[in-house]
Amino acid sequence: MDRLRGGGQMDGNDSGSARAALVAALDVVGLAPSERLDRIVRIAREVFDVPFSYVNLLDDTLLHTLTPNVAGEPTSGPLEWSFCQLTVQRPGPTVVPDTLADARTAVLPGVTSRGIRFYAGVPLTMPGELTIGSLCLMDVRPRQFTPQDEAALIDLGRWTEQTLAKGLQHDRLLEVVEALAPPPVHVPGYALAGLSVPYGDLSGDVHDWTVADDAVTVTLADIMGKEQPAALLAAGLRAALRQHEDLPPVAAVGAVEPRISEDLSRASAFATLFHARLTPSTGRLDFVDAGHGLVVHLHADGTSEIRRSRDLPLGLHPEGVPFRLGTLVLEPGDALIVASDGVLDLGDGTIDTLTDIGRTFRRAPNTAAFLETVRLRAAEHAEDDVTVTVLARDDG
């Protein structure tokens, strides 16, 4: 197995949950080796004349080999013990002609105890350009690797990806992604609820919230695209923001933006985002609106105000430019409705649809009834994912 302690890092925690969810959905870790995958590594050993070849998957912290080469060989180990941590950091092959001569690998236990002197690996990706593992070669002697060798390894990697994708259990993936929906929470003096209605089986929208003693964090994001690729990117964005839920919105979005933008760029996508932090005692809501602009503030006196975006979406926002802070106050009797752009299909397709959604909320007997109305209208009219989050303050 590729258990070689190293000093590199995997691609961070920002997309770890999305990757772990997809690895779980593949449902192959811990099972008997697949003949289809064993065939690939047998051919790899023969083509490149190496003693070892592995197909590896990785989750948040562990690397799992699906193709042990030796009877009784461990099949799981810490990711930081592996060459795979280097391979997943770049899109192309990672080649180490002499592991003792490379500072990244010279101190790995696999080098010092197993005698591994050569490594070559190629990352394995799934729809949405999410890297989930590697196909790798190892030898006990240093060797050169030509451009033709790299091209052949890439071809074997694509074959491996196709083999894994054929085994993807769609129902399992659906369950995992749906499990990322936030659970109901109780915030004294407020009602907080939401729903997401996917256009297909999986949604590229994500809504989330977390509650602490002195703050409530509310998030709604919309990934360009639909179905599995967008859903995986949405899950990664949710996980990244949860890593920084204790930070103010500008700092939190600024912290996750570089890595998320890389993921979005690889998938030729972008994400609009509304990320806010409420102080319940005062009703003050600080927020970042990155290209979202689908927020309506309903005032207790019957008026409403549409809050427009102040920054570009993630993936399009200029590098190094800080996000701008927005602020509003939810007075007693006020409500805030945040929606994805699919909600525009429920009206005339213009921003005025938000005002109509606000009227629907005011007429509804309660938040649950309002959300059920949105659900029914989305099922009938929407041509995109529809997500709505409501944050309402009691009359007091």
Side-chain angles (χ1 to χ4, degrees), residues 145-184:
F145 210 63
T146 68
Q148 292 77 18
D149 291 333
E150 290 192 11
L153 183 59
I154 290 172
D155 288 342
L156 286 174
R158 301 297 83 81
W159 181 13
T160 306
E161 290 172 349
Q162 293 170 9
T163 300
L164 287 169
K166 286 180 180 178
L168 183 64
Q169 296 188 12
H170 182 269
D171 290 343
R172 173 61 178 149
L173 177 59
L174 181 59
E175 291 174 4
V176 171
V177 173
E178 288 181 342
L180 297 178

Side-chain angles (χ1 to χ4, degrees), residues 25-363:
L26 288 168
D27 201 23
V28 291
V29 172
L31 300 182
S34 163
E35 173 56 31
R36 291 185 177 90
L37 295 177
D38 272 348
R39 181 185 178 205
I40 293 173
V41 296
R42 284 199 305 270
I43 291 174
R45 289 195 297 266
E46 293 170 2
V47 168
F48 296 101
D49 189 25
V50 294
F52 306 110
S53 178
Y54 299 97
V55 173
N56 301 313
L57 298 183
L58 58 103
D59 54 29
D60 290 336
T61 59
L62 295 175
L63 179 139
H64 311 274
T65 185
L66 306 183
T67 58
N69 288 196
V70 180
E73 185 176 18
T75 56
S76 293
L79 184 56
E80 67 268 20
W81 289 12
S82 72
F83 272 121
C84 188
Q85 62 179 324
L86 304 176
T87 304
V88 298
Q89 292 182 25
R90 56 193 305 270
T94 294
V95 180
V96 184
D98 186 347
T99 59
L100 284 177
D102 194 311
R104 299 173 300 170
T105 58
V107 297
L108 303 179
V111 176
T112 58
S113 63
R114 278 186 70 186
I116 299 301
R117 295 293 303 277
F118 166 81
Y119 172 88
V122 64
L124 304 176
T125 63
M126 287 287 103
E129 295 302 310
L130 187 67
T131 301
I132 62 166
S134 68
L135 169 67
C136 69
L137 313 170
M138 289 190 286
D139 202 342
V140 293
R141 58 185 176 87
R143 56 184 296 167
Q144 296 301 311
F145 210 63
T146 68
Q148 292 77 18
D149 291 333
E150 290 192 11
L153 183 59
I154 290 172
D155 288 342
L156 286 174
R158 301 297 83 81
W159 181 13
T160 306
E161 290 172 349
Q162 293 170 9
T163 300
L164 287 169
K166 286 180 180 178
L168 183 64
Q169 296 188 12
H170 182 269
D171 290 343
R172 173 61 178 149
L173 177 59
L174 181 59
E175 291 174 4
V176 171
V177 173
E178 288 181 342
L180 297 178
V185 294
H186 175 63
V187 182
Y190 293 83
L192 175 57
L195 67 80
S196 187
V197 183
Y199 180 63
D201 288 335
L202 300 168
S203 176
D205 297 347
V206 61
H207 67 291
D208 194 28
W209 48 69
T210 59
V211 178
D213 293 338
D214 59 347
V216 179
T217 300
V218 180
T219 302
L220 195 150
D222 184 356
I223 309 295
M224 182 191 72
K226 299 181 179 68
E227 286 287 341
Q228 184 172 304
L232 294 173
L233 290 167
L237 176 56
R238 173 189 183 272
L241 287 170
R242 283 211 161 198
Q243 290 287 327
H244 301 284
E245 62 186 27
D246 57 332
L247 296 180
V250 170
V253 177
V256 307
E257 190 270 340
R259 174 60 69 185
I260 291 299
S261 290
E262 288 181 15
D263 293 342
L264 292 167
S265 177
R266 286 195 293 268
S268 300
F270 62 84
T272 66
L273 170 70
F274 181 84
H275 183 66
R277 187 175 177 89
L278 170 73
T279 303
S281 60
T282 63
R284 177 186 171 109
L285 191 84
D286 295 328
F287 62 88
V288 167
D289 190 318
H292 199 73
L294 297 172
V295 181
V296 58
H297 184 180
L298 304 176
H299 298 280
D301 63 5
T303 61
S304 64
E305 177 185 4
I306 295 176
R307 309 290 302 215
R308 304 311 301 268
S309 175
R310 306 184 66 189
D311 286 308
L312 291 175
L314 303 184
L316 301 178
H317 190 78
E319 182 178 355
V321 176
F323 291 89
R324 286 177 284 187
L325 175 67
T327 301
L328 60 85
V329 176
L330 287 178
E331 303 287 355
D334 283 6
L336 195 75
I337 299 176
V338 188
S340 64
D341 62 3
V343 81
L344 301 179
D345 293 335
L346 311 188
D348 62 5
T350 71
I351 197 67
D352 292 337
T353 302
L354 280 182
T355 303
D356 179 58
I357 290 292
R359 296 192 191 100
T360 301
F361 176 79
R362 293 186 192 278
R363 292 194 297 264

